[in-house]
Amino acid sequence: MNGAIKNYAEDAIPEHVIVLYDSTLFKSGKEGMLFLGDRFYFKPLLEKPICVYYKDLQRVDLDRKVTYKNDKRKEKLHIVMHTEQYDYSLSDKLATYNIEGVVELLNGIAALKDQEDELVNVSQVTPLADLPETYKLTYVNYSPLICFAN
């Protein structure tokens, strides 16, 4: 997460991160996707990062380009995000992510902005004391007994 924040989401606070997808081979965080409560970052290899605020997101489309080479059909998928000011084309250079799933997720987020609640950043860290009793018991049962080690 620190690598993603350092490389393409410099204004993000770690405790506000909801989802991080790291597409790098060695998990350095230099490329991928990062979702916060109010915005989304996308950083593919050798491209500039994109940051889109959900309040500006109008809709997201899936662009399919079919090409043929040596009688073999090849399909390239691109995500096209439409905002109030720009259209962003997200390449398929993050080879292992589910493009259709990201389109569905972003369209779901775009639909949320029409509700009364504002999309804001909220800490994703919950103190153990605030969790339900079953979670506390699970934590205690499966925690390493570090305090008893010599």
Side-chain angles (χ1 to χ4, degrees):
M1 183 181 333
N2 291 334
I5 291 172
K6 178 182 175 186
N7 287 287
Y8 62 90
E10 294 172 349
D11 57 344
I13 297 171
E15 69 183 38
H16 291 170
V17 174
I18 297 170
V19 174
L20 169 65
Y21 171 74
D22 184 351
S23 64
T24 60
L25 182 61
F26 297 110
K27 303 303 175 202
S28 66
K30 291 183 179 181
E31 293 106 31
M33 292 182 274
L34 188 133
F35 290 85
L36 299 174
D38 66 343
R39 62 190 173 275
F40 158 76
Y41 296 90
F42 181 84
K43 171 62 174 89
L45 180 65
L46 303 175
E47 291 185 20
K48 290 184 179 184
I50 294 170
C51 175
V52 175
Y53 282 83
Y54 302 134
K55 66 182 173 76
D56 298 331
L57 191 60
Q58 294 177 329
R59 76 177 191 285
V60 182
D61 298 321
L62 184 60
D63 181 31
R64 298 177 187 269
K65 294 199 188 240
V66 178
T67 58
Y68 292 91
K69 186 174 182 180
N70 300 329
D71 293 331
K72 289 187 179 181
R73 183 180 190 272
K74 185 175 182 181
E75 183 177 63
K76 277 193 136 196
L77 301 175
H78 293 272
I79 297 173
V80 181
M81 289 192 304
H82 304 279
T83 66
E84 294 176 6
Q85 294 182 341
Y86 302 103
D87 290 337
Y88 298 98
S89 179
L90 307 182
S91 73
D92 58 353
K93 291 185 179 175
L94 301 182
T96 59
Y97 76 103
N98 178 338
I99 293 176
E100 291 91 349
V102 171
V103 169
E104 185 178 342
L105 173 66
L106 290 173
N107 275 321
I109 292 170
L112 287 175
K113 73 176 185 152
D114 297 330
Q115 295 180 1
E116 291 179 22
D117 295 334
E118 192 175 333
L119 297 172
V120 295
N121 290 320
V122 177
S123 175
Q124 301 301 306
V125 178
T126 303
L128 187 59
D130 294 346
L131 293 175
E133 200 64 32
T134 56
Y135 291 114
K136 292 177 191 174
L137 290 173
T138 302
Y139 179 81
V140 170
N141 288 334
Y142 292 103
S143 294
L145 298 174
I146 296 171
C147 59
F148 297 111
N150 288 328

